[in-house]
Amino acid sequence: MPKGRLYIVSTPIGNLEDITLRALETLKKVDYIACEDTEHSLKLLNYYGIKKPLISYWSEKEKVRAEDIIHKIKAGHNVALITDAGTPGISDPGAVVISRALEEEIEIIPVPGPTALITALSISGLNTEEFIFVGFLPVKQSQRRKKLLELSSEKRTLVFYEAPHRIIQTLDDMLEVFGNRRACVARELTKMFEEILRGSLEEILDKLEESKIAGEYVIVVEGQQEKERSFEEALKEVKELMKKGKGRKEAVKIVSELYNLSKKELYEKSLKTDNE
Ligand code: SAM
């Protein structure tokens, strides 16, 4: 059994003071700190006067550097692994080192702390009881829409990460695929230009276009609601009745009464789906 340990340490997602006492103690006592970008991590380490040998790793180098980290731990050294922000392994590197450490029966100790997804979800005002973390959506629009379509009947709250240059396009795609659901867009959490937008996707898009698009974003979207589902089912029934020879108006009247839905809304939706 190797003598050294691997500590997985969460660091701030912006505000340098969002770090636990245990995380600081851990960073002070280990022999090495493995980080993504040394320059970035030095800002945090210098702020707390922590001087340690750094092992730099990033996605492409993770495999090679993992061996170096494992080698050091097997030689009896303690290593703390951090990323540029938040919790390692959450849309961040870390998985390769962890799975290699497990293969070598190295003890892995979590030192928890901030993560952007939980920070955003907790203040979103949306249902936090059950949620799904999707992380980054595909960059290609066709693939992104495909993924959104797969998620469209999900009832649990959905949490996404997004880059500033894609935020408008992604919200547009969500509006198109999910409909005008409630959402929360959290920008630059814990930082100087923190901004939290809540409302329908349409309202958020309006507000976003007015403000400056920059920084880091988390998008939280309400899951599919009962009402949306019944509209979907009702639309299918309208189609069926129309196939059997009823006019749209008559079909909508029958189904809206059956499902207790707004006749006007069902009529408009039925027209819209026919034109798609
Ligand atoms: N490991 C990190 C965590 O635990 O949240 C996530 C790293 S991932 C490479 C970076 C993405 O996380 C950003 O593009 C953004 O979507 C989100 N993010 C990180 N910090 C944020 C912040 N302060 N405010 C809003 N979103 C943030």
Side-chain angles (χ1 to χ4, degrees), residues 3-258:
K3 281 189 227 107
R5 290 163 154 186
L6 174 65
Y7 293 85
I8 304 297
V9 183
S10 298
T11 58
I13 57 166
N15 189 320
L16 290 183
E17 304 207 339
D18 289 334
I19 186 160
T20 70
L21 295 174
R22 188 165 161 249
L24 289 177
E25 280 314 307
T26 305
L27 295 175
K28 280 178 196 162
K29 79 174 182 198
V30 292
D31 304 296
Y32 293 92
I33 298 174
C35 54
E36 274 183 275
D37 173 7
T38 47
E39 208 176 304
H40 185 98
S41 293
L42 274 173
K43 279 187 210 137
L44 173 76
L45 300 173
N46 288 341
Y47 187 80
Y48 288 104
I50 299 170
K51 280 199 173 67
K52 291 284 164 179
L54 303 180
I55 307 168
S56 130
Y57 72 89
W58 59 93
S59 318
E60 288 138 59
K61 281 226 169 168
E62 202 181 350
K63 255 193 180 144
V64 184
R65 291 299 159 96
E67 294 316 312
D68 185 19
I69 294 168
I70 299 300
H71 182 77
K72 286 190 163 62
I73 298 174
K74 284 174 88 174
H77 299 295
N78 288 312
V79 177
L81 185 138
I82 61 174
T83 54
D84 284 354
T87 302
I90 305 300
S91 295
D92 255 348
V96 175
V97 180
I98 291 172
S99 67
R100 278 292 292 121
L102 288 172
E103 277 168 17
E104 300 291 338
E105 294 183 20
I106 288 168
E107 195 179 350
I108 300 173
I109 299 167
V111 185
T115 184
L117 80 107
I118 297 296
T119 311
L121 177 70
S122 69
I123 51 84
S124 66
L126 301 171
N127 185 0
T128 56
E129 259 167 45
E130 285 191 81
F131 65 92
I132 290 205
F133 174 57
V134 185
F136 289 101
L137 284 163
V139 171
K140 242 180 127 189
Q141 193 181 33
S142 56
Q143 282 169 19
R144 185 164 62 233
R145 283 181 178 225
K146 193 168 163 241
K147 179 83 186 166
L148 291 173
L149 205 60
E150 278 167 29
L151 293 165
S152 62
S153 55
E154 177 55 59
K155 293 180 208 68
R156 290 169 283 188
T157 303
L158 302 157
V159 189
F160 304 86
Y161 283 168
E162 194 48 285
H165 57 282
R166 271 192 299 272
I167 187 86
I168 299 271
Q169 189 56 61
T170 294
L171 288 168
D172 270 335
D173 289 342
M174 287 177 174
L175 179 61
E176 185 95 14
V177 178
F178 294 157
N180 197 17
R181 287 192 194 167
R182 288 197 304 152
C184 169
V185 170
R187 169 190 172 222
E188 293 287 86
L189 287 162
T190 77
K191 301 189 203 175
M192 196 189 297
F193 297 108
E194 179 177 273
E195 186 179 25
I196 293 152
L197 303 173
R198 297 183 186 85
S200 68
L201 283 167
E202 248 169 24
E203 285 164 351
I204 292 175
L205 271 161
D206 282 347
K207 288 183 205 162
L208 257 180
E209 270 148 358
E210 288 160 18
S211 63
K212 204 168 153 260
I213 309 287
E216 301 192 280
Y217 290 87
V218 181
I219 309 172
V220 188
V221 187
E222 182 174 55
Q224 191 189 49
Q225 300 299 289
E226 210 55 55
K227 193 170 165 254
E228 274 179 58
R229 263 206 316 287
S230 44
F231 260 116
E232 256 174 43
E233 283 152 21
L235 281 169
K236 273 189 207 145
E237 290 225 20
V238 169
K239 258 197 180 148
E240 281 305 309
L241 285 177
M242 284 173 71
K243 265 191 213 153
K244 286 180 189 156
K246 297 249 183 268
R248 187 185 307 275
K249 237 181 178 169
E250 197 187 351
V252 165
K253 186 172 180 293
I254 297 168
V255 177
S256 62
E257 278 164 13
L258 212 64

